[in-house]
């Protein structure tokens, strides 16, 4: 059984749409979110830590909103910025920009303790130098610089632009993210899932996982 590491039951339901019946369940596990300027290393560290905790195949996701005119900010800091500035402030800052294009990105990290054959989707093998410097830690990376657990990454992306808040649905930045004329908060769940960054990453994962 695959464990989707999240406290959000909506994410588990979304994953169930892509995977065979009864093959995934939620796992409420609070892994340490490292600071990094890309999503991949964050999802990979989380997946290693969750795998060592669960001792079963795990899927961890990390997502964020990347605003073009702000060089990708808030990106991996989206959660922190949502909690501190709030999405209205993010819209106000973007409203002054010439370029309000933005994208949601999601990276899924899968770890089952085994290695991976080559496929177009990348594998994170950890940063040996950083692992050696940090010493043995909760993510289980070896202090002697030996290989940490490999993590397979799947990336999803949806383009859009930042607009004044509209709509009552969804969560997080949904009201200020417009895709194809509608904000994510104006779309019903099925429509949003069909185009969302997470849906696209899950689709790639499910196709690959079917052969695993
Ligand atoms: P997480 O990786 O799912 O915890 O999301 C990181 C940040 O991005 C949080 O601030 C979320 O609210 C935001 N976020 C992630 N996915 C979405 C989405 O589909 N809609 C709106 N905000 C999102």
């Amino acid at each position: 059984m695959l464990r989707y590491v999240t406290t959000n039951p909506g994410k588990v339901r979304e994953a169930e749409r892509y995977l065979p019946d009864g093959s995934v369940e939620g796992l409420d596990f609070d892994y340490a979110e490292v600071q990094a300027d890309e999503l991949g290393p964050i999802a990979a560290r989380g997946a290693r830590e969750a795998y060592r905790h669960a001792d079963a195949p795990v899927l961890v996701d990390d997502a964020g909103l990347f605003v073009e005119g702000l060089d990708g900010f808030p990106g991996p800091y989206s959660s922190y910025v949502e909690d501190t500035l709030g999405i209205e402030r993010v819209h106000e800052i973007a409203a002054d920009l010439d370029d309000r294009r933005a994208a949601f990105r999601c990276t899924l990290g899968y770890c089952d303790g085994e290695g991976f054959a080559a496929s177009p989707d990348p594998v994170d093998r950890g940063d040996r130098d950083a692992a050696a410097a940090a010493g043995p830690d909760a993510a289980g990376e070896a202090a002697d610089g030996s290989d940490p657990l490999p993590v397979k990454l799947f990336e999803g992306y949806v383009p859009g632009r930042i607009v004044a808040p509209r709509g009552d649905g969804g969560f997080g930045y949904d009201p200020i993210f417009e895709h194809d004329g509608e904000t994510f908060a104006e779309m019903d769940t099925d429509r949003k899932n069909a185009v969302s960054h997470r849906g696209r990453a899950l689709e790639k994962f499910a196709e690959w996982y079917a052969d695993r």
Side-chain angles (χ1 to χ4, degrees):
M1 169 83 80
L2 173 66
R3 314 288 154 91
Y4 194 156
V5 182
T6 178
T7 50
N8 180 344
K11 286 188 182 178
V12 182
R13 280 196 297 275
E14 195 177 347
E16 282 169 344
R17 289 165 36 104
Y18 294 90
L19 295 163
D21 279 353
S23 64
V24 61
E25 68 179 23
L27 173 67
D28 183 352
F29 173 64
D30 209 7
Y31 57 90
E33 275 212 18
V34 291
Q35 289 255 314
D37 49 18
E38 286 173 61
L39 301 176
I42 302 173
R45 285 283 297 247
R48 276 185 200 109
E49 194 181 325
Y51 171 74
R52 292 194 188 276
H53 167 80
D55 199 19
V58 293
L59 195 61
V60 164
D61 76 73
D62 197 49
L65 177 69
F66 293 71
V67 181
E68 294 268 343
L70 298 174
D71 295 336
F73 186 81
Y77 310 103
S78 295
S79 222
Y80 177 75
V81 169
E82 183 188 339
D83 293 345
T84 51
L85 290 182
I87 68 161
E88 303 247 349
R89 286 292 302 285
V90 174
H91 160 252
E92 282 164 22
I93 294 165
D96 286 334
L97 302 171
D98 293 330
D99 186 356
R100 290 178 215 162
R101 285 176 303 161
F104 271 122
R105 292 178 186 278
C106 173
T107 299
L108 293 171
Y110 172 81
C111 183
D112 62 11
E114 305 288 328
F116 302 107
S119 88
D121 304 295
V123 175
D124 183 298
R125 299 182 196 285
D127 177 337
R128 289 177 183 218
D129 295 338
D137 62 8
E141 289 171 354
D144 63 3
S146 60
D147 269 344
L149 290 169
V151 175
K152 187 86 175 156
L153 300 175
F154 302 87
E155 292 161 359
Y157 161 97
V158 56
R161 65 185 189 113
I162 304 298
V163 296
R166 294 196 323 257
D168 304 317
F171 69 99
Y173 294 90
D174 280 349
I176 63 164
F177 183 79
E178 187 188 72
H179 172 81
D180 247 359
E182 268 184 306
T183 68
F184 268 8
E186 291 173 318
M187 295 180 185
D188 62 34
T189 309
D190 283 350
R191 162 105 180 101
K192 180 188 161 185
N193 289 350
V195 296
S196 87
H197 47 310
R198 197 170 301 99
R200 288 174 184 184
L202 279 167
E203 206 173 341
K204 282 190 194 173
F205 169 73
E207 200 182 316
W208 173 86
Y209 191 60
D211 289 333
R212 183 77 172 166

